[in-house]
Amino acid sequence: MKIEKNLFLYGVPIFIPVAFIYGWLTEWSEWVGFLGIMLVGGLAGMIGFYLAFTGKRVGARPEDRLDAEIHEGSGEQGHFSPWSWWPLVLGMSAATGFLGIAIGFWILYIGMGMAVIALVGWVFEYSRGYHAH
C-alpha cells in the first residue's frame, strides 16, 4: 500500500496551498471553491493516513515489491455478493433522491425511505434467507 499511501499523502501539501492561492486569486469573494479544495486536501490526508496505518498492519503486498511474481497475487481477493440485488436498489434510491432534489422535495423522502430499506437489506443479506450461515 506504499504507492497508494504516497499518492494521497502527497496530495495534501498540494491541495492546501492551492486552496489559499485560489482564495487569494478570487479576492476571498468566492468561498465555495476555497472550502471545497480544503476539504479535498483533508479527505486526501484521511485516506492517506488510513492506508499508511493499514499498510503497517498488513505488510508488503506483491504489488509493492519489485521482485514479485504474478502468481503471488492470485487467490481470494475479498468477499463479494455476486447475486445481490441490493446495490441496484440502493442506486435507484439515490437516483430517486437526486430526482427529488431537482423536482420536488416530497420525492426525496421516498428516495430516503428506499435507501434505508436497501441498506438494511444489504447489511443483513447473509443473516437470513438462502445465503444464511
Side-chain angles (χ1 to χ4, degrees), residues 11-45:
V12 175
I14 293 171
F15 287 121
I16 303 299
V18 164
F20 284 99
I21 292 169
Y22 179 84
W24 179 70
L25 287 175
T26 60
E27 298 175 358
W28 303 103
S29 63
E30 200 273 315
W31 287 93
V32 175
F34 170 73
L35 289 174
I37 298 171
M38 288 290 285
L39 289 172
V40 168
L43 182 63

Side-chain angles (χ1 to χ4, degrees), residues 1-15 40-61 63-64:
M1 292 192 191
K2 184 178 179 183
I3 295 172
E4 294 93 343
K5 170 194 72 148
N6 290 338
L7 177 70
F8 284 102
L9 286 180
Y10 289 161
V12 175
I14 293 171
F15 287 121
V40 168
L43 182 63
M46 287 191 300
I47 294 172
F49 174 75
Y50 171 76
L51 290 175
F53 181 74
T54 305
K56 286 181 184 176
R57 253 186 326 141
V58 172
R61 302 175 302 165
E63 295 91 10
D64 296 331

Side-chain angles (χ1 to χ4, degrees), residues 53-91:
F53 181 74
T54 305
K56 286 181 184 176
R57 253 186 326 141
V58 172
R61 302 175 302 165
E63 295 91 10
D64 296 331
R65 297 191 343 250
L66 295 175
D67 62 339
E69 298 289 329
I70 293 175
H71 66 85
E72 293 180 49
S74 64
E76 186 175 329
Q77 298 293 321
H79 177 74
F80 305 101
S81 302
W83 298 284
S84 178
W85 286 89
W86 291 113
L88 179 65
V89 176
L90 188 61

